[in-house]
Amino acid sequence: MAPWDRRDPSWDRRDPPWDRRDPPWDRRDPSAPPGSTAPLTPTLSPLWLLSNQTCVCQGAGIRSSKAEEPVPCPVGCAQCESLPALSLQSVAVCSWRSGAALRRFVGHEREVTKVTSALDSSRVFSASRDKTVMMWELHGALGPSQHFPGHELVVTGLAVSPDASQLCTGSRDNTVCKWDTETGECLARATISRNLVTHLCWVPGEPYVIQTSEDKTTRVWDSRELQVAHTFPAKQHIQTCCDVSQDGRYCLCSSQGGEATLWDLRQTRSRVCEYRGHFQTTTSCVFLPRGPALAPSVATSSSDSTVKVWHRDTAACLATLSLEGSGPLASLAACDSSTLLCASASSGIHVLRLGRGAEPALRELRAF
């Protein structure tokens, strides 16, 4: 059996008491060098591209012209009354070209962990440590237009269907749920032992949802019956994030071990290659849109404060950028074939540009 295919025997035991709890803030990254203070995979600073002009993110990293003024809670709940504008509990919609905050939504009682939206949709979804998911209308009221309660622990996975009619959520309570976004009704619920969800993403044009887990596996769910259609071989480390190529052929998964893995979703469903080079947890991974002068590429971010761009097929590292002083990098979003957004836990959102040519350079344009 190949080394990457071995299962950690500790997962064969019963879940230890801490295995289902909301992970504490001071857990350390086991892949970090001795003495390092790098935290485990950050769940804060979620980021999602809305259009070729805007993105949605956690409100903590976005400053508006009145950033120091309190933002009254639109639903009037006591927990959110007069929250600061930079609250970890808010959701911000911004122009990634200018960095300006266009809308800010407040309603969660605890930190926002994930954000998502169907591309060019007017609906934004957010998950939180308060165990709920909320839906917001970009052109509607400031309060949530729909609530999705039902998980017993922090919600850590969020994926919406391309037409925004259905939503899949995952949690550390070992469950994956499917919801009707119009009614808020839970259409199906599936529970798998030890399946502590870390991320979800919808396969474009298909009824399938990809899910990564702390049990070191990546699952393919059939959303129609909410059943597991396929499980890829378990890796050596916790799987932290996943993304799917626009043609639906490949799945990319990042790992707490510092690498990312490319899987074939068609026919063979085999491992294509691995991308190795980060020194700490690989926190996020994305496919880059194909450009006229760029080879098929993927990008990864890490707790080691670096972003890397890789040749998708050969796994060669094309470019590396170190964002010194930014702390752990939490999430990525690809704007186009040469522009990336990278959210950090301490320095906001960085706009990165990938150069052209045989040896493209990755540089930072600005941060907001």
Side-chain angles (χ1 to χ4, degrees), residues 16-41:
W18 53 263
D19 203 23
R20 285 165 50 85
R21 294 178 184 170
D22 190 356
W25 290 104
D26 61 351
R27 283 178 64 187
R28 301 300 167 189
D29 186 345
S31 66
S36 170
T37 58
L40 188 67
T41 307

Short mmCIF file of all heavy atoms in Angstrom, two decimals, residues 16-41:
data_model
loop_
_atom_site.label_atom_id
_atom_site.label_comp_id
_atom_site.label_asym_id
_atom_site.label_seq_id
_atom_site.Cartn_x
_atom_site.Cartn_y
_atom_site.Cartn_z
N PRO A 16 -12.37 10.83 20.47
CA PRO A 16 -12.04 11.39 21.78
C PRO A 16 -12.92 12.59 22.06
O PRO A 16 -13.50 13.18 21.15
CB PRO A 16 -10.57 11.82 21.62
CG PRO A 16 -10.37 11.95 20.15
CD PRO A 16 -11.30 10.98 19.49
N PRO A 17 -13.05 13.01 23.33
CA PRO A 17 -13.99 14.08 23.68
C PRO A 17 -13.78 15.35 22.89
O PRO A 17 -14.73 16.03 22.55
CB PRO A 17 -13.71 14.30 25.17
CG PRO A 17 -13.15 12.99 25.65
CD PRO A 17 -12.37 12.45 24.50
N TRP A 18 -12.52 15.71 22.56
CA TRP A 18 -12.28 16.98 21.88
C TRP A 18 -12.57 16.93 20.40
O TRP A 18 -12.58 17.94 19.72
CB TRP A 18 -10.82 17.42 22.07
CG TRP A 18 -9.82 16.37 21.69
CD1 TRP A 18 -9.20 15.51 22.53
CD2 TRP A 18 -9.34 16.05 20.39
NE1 TRP A 18 -8.37 14.68 21.84
CE2 TRP A 18 -8.43 15.00 20.53
CE3 TRP A 18 -9.60 16.56 19.14
CZ2 TRP A 18 -7.78 14.43 19.44
CZ3 TRP A 18 -8.94 16.01 18.05
CH2 TRP A 18 -8.05 14.95 18.21
N ASP A 19 -12.84 15.72 19.87
CA ASP A 19 -12.90 15.55 18.43
C ASP A 19 -14.13 16.20 17.80
O ASP A 19 -14.15 16.42 16.61
CB ASP A 19 -12.90 14.05 18.10
CG ASP A 19 -12.41 13.78 16.70
OD1 ASP A 19 -11.70 14.64 16.16
OD2 ASP A 19 -12.74 12.74 16.16
N ARG A 20 -15.17 16.46 18.62
CA ARG A 20 -16.39 17.04 18.08
C ARG A 20 -16.61 18.47 18.53
O ARG A 20 -17.58 19.10 18.16
CB ARG A 20 -17.60 16.19 18.51
CG ARG A 20 -17.73 14.88 17.77
CD ARG A 20 -18.68 13.96 18.49
NE ARG A 20 -19.93 14.62 18.79
CZ ARG A 20 -20.97 14.72 17.96
NH1 ARG A 20 -20.87 14.23 16.76
NH2 ARG A 20 -22.08 15.32 18.33
N ARG A 21 -15.69 18.99 19.32
CA ARG A 21 -15.88 20.33 19.81
C ARG A 21 -15.42 21.37 18.80
O ARG A 21 -14.63 21.10 17.91
CB ARG A 21 -15.12 20.53 21.13
CG ARG A 21 -15.66 19.69 22.27
CD ARG A 21 -14.83 19.92 23.51
NE ARG A 21 -15.28 19.05 24.59
CZ ARG A 21 -14.62 18.90 25.73
NH1 ARG A 21 -13.50 19.55 25.92
NH2 ARG A 21 -15.10 18.11 26.66
N ASP A 22 -15.93 22.57 18.99
CA ASP A 22 -15.44 23.72 18.23
C ASP A 22 -13.97 23.89 18.55
O ASP A 22 -13.61 24.08 19.71
CB ASP A 22 -16.24 24.94 18.67
CG ASP A 22 -16.00 26.14 17.79
OD1 ASP A 22 -15.16 26.03 16.88
OD2 ASP A 22 -16.65 27.16 18.02
N PRO A 23 -13.05 23.79 17.57
CA PRO A 23 -11.62 23.81 17.89
C PRO A 23 -11.22 25.11 18.58
O PRO A 23 -11.60 26.19 18.12
CB PRO A 23 -10.95 23.67 16.52
CG PRO A 23 -11.98 24.10 15.54
CD PRO A 23 -13.30 23.75 16.14
N PRO A 24 -10.45 25.06 19.64
CA PRO A 24 -10.02 26.27 20.32
C PRO A 24 -9.10 27.09 19.45
O PRO A 24 -8.47 26.59 18.52
CB PRO A 24 -9.30 25.74 21.56
CG PRO A 24 -8.86 24.37 21.19
CD PRO A 24 -9.92 23.84 20.26
N TRP A 25 -8.99 28.38 19.78
CA TRP A 25 -8.19 29.28 18.97
C TRP A 25 -6.70 29.03 19.08
O TRP A 25 -5.94 29.45 18.24
CB TRP A 25 -8.48 30.72 19.40
CG TRP A 25 -9.83 31.16 19.03
CD1 TRP A 25 -10.91 31.30 19.85
CD2 TRP A 25 -10.31 31.50 17.73
NE1 TRP A 25 -12.00 31.70 19.14
CE2 TRP A 25 -11.66 31.84 17.85
CE3 TRP A 25 -9.70 31.54 16.48
CZ2 TRP A 25 -12.42 32.21 16.76
CZ3 TRP A 25 -10.47 31.93 15.39
CH2 TRP A 25 -11.80 32.25 15.55
N ASP A 26 -6.27 28.33 20.12
CA ASP A 26 -4.82 28.20 20.32
C ASP A 26 -4.27 26.85 19.90
O ASP A 26 -3.16 26.50 20.25
CB ASP A 26 -4.48 28.46 21.80
CG ASP A 26 -5.15 27.48 22.74
OD1 ASP A 26 -6.01 26.70 22.26
OD2 ASP A 26 -4.82 27.50 23.94
N ARG A 27 -5.06 26.06 19.11
CA ARG A 27 -4.48 24.83 18.59
C ARG A 27 -3.39 25.18 17.59
O ARG A 27 -3.52 26.10 16.78
CB ARG A 27 -5.55 23.98 17.89
CG ARG A 27 -6.45 23.24 18.89
CD ARG A 27 -7.52 22.46 18.15
NE ARG A 27 -6.91 21.43 17.33
CZ ARG A 27 -7.62 20.71 16.47
NH1 ARG A 27 -8.88 20.90 16.31
NH2 ARG A 27 -7.02 19.78 15.75
N ARG A 28 -2.29 24.45 17.61
CA ARG A 28 -1.14 24.78 16.76
C ARG A 28 -1.03 23.85 15.57
O ARG A 28 -1.45 22.69 15.62
CB ARG A 28 0.15 24.73 17.59
CG ARG A 28 0.14 25.70 18.76
CD ARG A 28 -0.03 27.13 18.29
NE ARG A 28 -0.36 28.02 19.38
CZ ARG A 28 -0.73 29.28 19.21
NH1 ARG A 28 -0.85 29.78 18.02
NH2 ARG A 28 -1.03 30.04 20.25
N ASP A 29 -0.46 24.36 14.54
CA ASP A 29 -0.27 23.61 13.31
C ASP A 29 0.83 22.58 13.52
O ASP A 29 1.99 22.93 13.73
CB ASP A 29 0.11 24.58 12.19
CG ASP A 29 0.19 23.91 10.83
OD1 ASP A 29 0.23 22.67 10.81
OD2 ASP A 29 0.22 24.62 9.83
N PRO A 30 0.51 21.26 13.45
CA PRO A 30 1.53 20.24 13.69
C PRO A 30 2.61 20.21 12.63
O PRO A 30 3.67 19.64 12.84
CB PRO A 30 0.72 18.93 13.70
CG PRO A 30 -0.50 19.24 12.90
CD PRO A 30 -0.81 20.68 13.16
N SER A 31 2.34 20.81 11.47
CA SER A 31 3.36 20.83 10.42
C SER A 31 4.34 21.99 10.58
O SER A 31 5.30 22.09 9.84
CB SER A 31 2.70 20.92 9.05
OG SER A 31 2.04 22.16 8.89
N ALA A 32 4.07 22.88 11.55
CA ALA A 32 4.94 24.03 11.74
C ALA A 32 6.25 23.62 12.38
O ALA A 32 6.33 22.62 13.09
CB ALA A 32 4.24 25.07 12.62
N PRO A 33 7.33 24.37 12.14
CA PRO A 33 8.62 24.06 12.77
C PRO A 33 8.52 24.15 14.28
O PRO A 33 7.66 24.85 14.82
CB PRO A 33 9.54 25.16 12.21
CG PRO A 33 8.86 25.68 11.00
CD PRO A 33 7.41 25.52 11.24
N PRO A 34 9.39 23.43 15.03
CA PRO A 34 9.37 23.50 16.49
C PRO A 34 9.49 24.94 16.97
O PRO A 34 10.30 25.72 16.47
CB PRO A 34 10.60 22.67 16.89
CG PRO A 34 10.83 21.75 15.73
CD PRO A 34 10.42 22.51 14.52
N GLY A 35 8.65 25.28 17.94
CA GLY A 35 8.68 26.62 18.50
C GLY A 35 7.85 27.62 17.74
O GLY A 35 7.68 28.77 18.16
N SER A 36 7.28 27.23 16.57
CA SER A 36 6.46 28.16 15.80
C SER A 36 5.14 28.38 16.49
O SER A 36 4.60 27.50 17.16
CB SER A 36 6.22 27.59 14.40
OG SER A 36 5.26 28.35 13.72
N THR A 37 4.58 29.57 16.32
CA THR A 37 3.28 29.89 16.91
C THR A 37 2.18 29.90 15.87
O THR A 37 1.11 30.44 16.09
CB THR A 37 3.33 31.27 17.60
OG1 THR A 37 3.71 32.25 16.62
CG2 THR A 37 4.30 31.27 18.75
N ALA A 38 2.44 29.32 14.71
CA ALA A 38 1.43 29.32 13.65
C ALA A 38 0.22 28.51 14.09
O ALA A 38 0.36 27.37 14.53
CB ALA A 38 2.01 28.72 12.37
N PRO A 39 -0.99 29.06 13.99
CA PRO A 39 -2.17 28.33 14.41
C PRO A 39 -2.57 27.27 13.40
O PRO A 39 -2.09 27.25 12.28
CB PRO A 39 -3.24 29.42 14.50
CG PRO A 39 -2.81 30.43 13.50
CD PRO A 39 -1.30 30.40 13.54
N LEU A 40 -3.48 26.39 13.84
CA LEU A 40 -4.06 25.40 12.95
C LEU A 40 -4.82 26.13 11.85
O LEU A 40 -5.08 27.32 11.94
CB LEU A 40 -5.02 24.50 13.74
CG LEU A 40 -5.60 23.28 13.05
CD1 LEU A 40 -4.50 22.27 12.77
CD2 LEU A 40 -6.67 22.65 13.93
N THR A 41 -5.20 25.42 10.81
CA THR A 41 -5.88 26.01 9.68
C THR A 41 -6.88 27.09 10.10
O THR A 41 -7.82 26.81 10.81
CB THR A 41 -6.65 24.91 8.92
OG1 THR A 41 -5.75 23.86 8.62
CG2 THR A 41 -7.25 25.46 7.65
#
